[in-house]
Structure formats: C-alpha cells, structure tokens
Amino acid sequence: YDRSILFSTNHYKEQYKFVEYKNRNPLVHYWKATTPENMLVKFYSTLSELKTFREKVIETGLFDEEFYRKQFSYPIKMDILDHYITIGSKENKRPSIFFDQENYLKNNPDVLLSFKNPLIHYVLFAFNSNRKINHDLSFSEYKEFRKFVYEKGLFNDDYYLNSIDEKDILDPLEHYLKNSFTEKNNPSWFFNTKRYIKEHPDLEENDKIPLIDYVMDTIDVYNTINNSGLFDEEYYLEQAGHSFYVTNDPLMHFITTGVRWGFDPNRTFSINKYKEIYVDVDESKQNPLYHYLIRGKRELRDSFMSLNTHLQKFDSRYSIQSCLNVINALNNKISIIIKYIHKFTCFYYFLFYYF
C-alpha cells in the first residue's frame, strides 16, 4: 500500500534491496537518505522528476484524460497517469492524439536504455528537442500539421466519416493517417489520396503518409509565398472568381488549384511564361512562384512582367514615366532621339529638325 502517488514501496524495495533485507521502512529510509533527491522512488524516476512530469504532461496536452479513458470499456478508478504507465502503455494505448509510443521508440531506440516509460522520458528529457513522436513528426511539427489541415480544409471530419463504415472513432484524422494506404479514402474534397500515391510511388516504400508528405511541403510553400508580399489577393480573385472555396483562402487556392489553371499571383509574375522558359521548374514539381522565391530570384531569373508594369514599378524611383511623357509630347517634332539613362536621372540628347 502506497501513501502517495509519488512513491512506490515495491519499486523502492526493488531498486534498493538492502532496505527489505534490513527490514527497514522504505519511506522512512528515503527521508533519512543522505541524498534523497537522487533516489529512484517510482517508475525509475526521482521525486522531483515525477512532480515535473505530472505537471508538464497535462499542461502540454501530451496526456488527455478524456481521450485516454475512451479507449477502455471499463471505468478507471486508480490514478489515471499511474494507470497509463502501468497498464495503458503496455497495451499500446495512446495518452493523447499527439504521442505514439511505438513511433517514439522506433525513432529513438536509446530510450529503452533508460528503463523509463517512453512518455516520461520524452517529457523530462526530450520535450525541447525535435525527436519524432507521432507519424515521424516532432511535437511542434505534428501540431502545425493538424492546425494547417483543418484551417485550410485539407481534412474535414464529416467528409471523411461519411466515406467509411466504422463508427465510434476517437479521432478521425488519426484514423485516416493510420489507414491511408490500405483504405485510400480521401480526407476532403481538396486531396485525392489515390492520385497522390500514384504520382508518388516511393511513398509506401519509404513509409511516408500521403497527406503528411503533401502538407509538410505545402506549409513551407504557403509561408514562403505569404511572407514574400508577392501574392496579390485582389488581383488573384479577378482571375479565379469569388466563390467560397476561393475567397476562404485565396493563397491556398492558388497553391492547390490556381497554378494548374495558370492563374498569376500578381501583375508582375507570369506562371505560364516562367514555366515555359525555365523547363527545370516543371521537372522540380515545385510551385513556380515558390521556385522563383527560393531559387530563381537569386539566379536573376526573369518574372516576365510586362513593359508597362516595369515602368509603373520603377517610375517613382527613377522617374521613367515622366521622361516618356516628354518624349511622347515631342514625338511629332523630333526625328531622331539618342537616349542615355543614368541610375538616378534620365538624360536625353536630341538630334532633330522641325518639319
């Protein structure tokens, strides 16, 4: 019988066998120890480690009591965290949607050497690292992935649940991710699982999940374009229309659909012209504007804006338009024009005669 959830009599006697041999009370021995802070009191952990774990695992959402209880057909009466560590984890039950014990051990075999429960190990020693804990993603990556697919409509609970026969699913997204290769159902209107697998035959061989493979690349594309200032939402809507699916997130529509239809992201960048001139863009299978931002711009590749757009863009800086207005005004009076343009000023030398 243990008087505290932070101390296990049996565990303490197992770790320090001389305590039982000398017929000493384990708890009394602990408090009289020279360095009690280093003594393993439960689950191969010290008292301070257990306190930290219990606070942090709830605070971060790595343990979700409601989610955990739903995995059992009987009521759990003992301490819920103790139940998970002593029973649930051995039955491979999930403490939350974020943590998969099997995936953590697969990616981090060194955890076995610590003798600690994988969840305890992660919370105490690897929380601030990029260790993979679910679907080969880190905690931060998986949270970002979930947020993105729901916000951008790439996963819809109702759409997915209507496409399968099963009921009482704890988490639809997790169910899809675990069964995407076998069932090949679609997560939403905007993602075709079968087509994506067909276009990427190496996915199954490399144990990659289609939606995760697509989304993690798309997140980078989305953020890069969004932060560049080169996506003109108003101009894009003039091309794509104002339907709900477009106006809900024009940039996402551009990435998933607009590029295939040849819609330009702004007045200064031509999707079709960029792909036509630079054939390696299609070969890379990258979004043309994304390709330009991460590579083309650095290589001084042309964005193929029209001459008028070039003039409008640089007129305020170099006064090009005002110079052209002068030329147009003198067009009927001048027969020959020799032009010299300086970086900051525009000079014109005229050889002319009046008609």
Side-chain angles (χ1 to χ4, degrees), residues 79-91:
D79 177 77
I80 196 68
L81 282 174
D82 278 9
H83 186 277
Y84 168 72
I85 295 169
T86 58
I87 299 173
S89 62
K90 293 176 182 178
E91 296 179 4

Side-chain angles (χ1 to χ4, degrees), residues 221-282:
V221 173
Y222 188 96
N223 291 336
T224 300
I225 295 177
N226 191 44
N227 295 332
S228 72
L230 291 183
F231 184 76
D232 186 335
E233 187 173 300
E234 184 178 345
Y235 177 75
Y236 182 76
L237 291 175
E238 290 177 10
Q239 305 167 81
H242 289 72
S243 70
F244 170 77
Y245 294 108
V246 179
T247 55
N248 188 44
D249 193 326
L251 176 52
M252 194 64 194
H253 185 272
F254 167 69
I255 293 171
T256 59
T257 308
V259 167
R260 297 201 308 271
W261 291 349
F263 294 156
D264 294 330
N266 57 58
R267 289 179 170 81
T268 68
F269 190 90
S270 171
I271 291 291
N272 291 332
K273 197 70 175 176
Y274 191 78
K275 291 196 296 181
E276 178 186 339
I277 300 300
Y278 305 117
V279 294
D280 61 316
V281 177
D282 264 343

Side-chain angles (χ1 to χ4, degrees), residues 48-89:
S48 61
E49 287 176 338
L50 285 175
K51 288 180 178 179
T52 300
F53 166 73
R54 284 182 165 273
E55 292 174 3
K56 200 170 182 179
V57 76
I58 301 297
E59 179 185 303
T60 58
L62 284 165
F63 188 86
D64 181 339
E65 182 173 346
E66 182 180 357
F67 177 86
Y68 180 70
R69 287 183 182 276
K70 286 181 179 179
Q71 298 173 75
F72 296 89
S73 58
Y74 58 86
I76 300 173
K77 297 182 179 180
M78 63 185 290
D79 177 77
I80 196 68
L81 282 174
D82 278 9
H83 186 277
Y84 168 72
I85 295 169
T86 58
I87 299 173
S89 62

Side-chain angles (χ1 to χ4, degrees), residues 5 10 23 27 48 72 92 102 107 111 124 129 151 154 156-157 204-205 223 226 254 311 323 341:
I5 58 174
N10 290 333
N23 198 28
L27 188 58
S48 61
F72 296 89
N92 204 31
E102 283 188 341
N107 287 292
V111 175
L124 292 178
S129 70
E151 281 186 352
L154 288 169
N156 182 283
D157 286 354
E204 192 164 9
E205 182 182 338
N223 291 336
N226 191 44
F254 167 69
L311 296 177
C323 294
I341 301 179

Side-chain angles (χ1 to χ4, degrees), residues 340-352:
Y340 170 74
I341 301 179
H342 185 264
K343 183 176 181 182
F344 299 104
T345 319
C346 199
F347 298 103
Y348 291 85
Y349 298 95
F350 306 104
L351 298 176
F352 62 88

Side-chain angles (χ1 to χ4, degrees), residues 158-174:
D158 292 334
Y159 179 93
Y160 178 68
L161 291 174
N162 288 332
S163 69
I164 61 177
D165 297 327
E166 295 182 51
K167 296 181 179 180
D168 300 324
I169 294 175
L170 279 176
D171 185 77
L173 177 55
E174 274 297 309

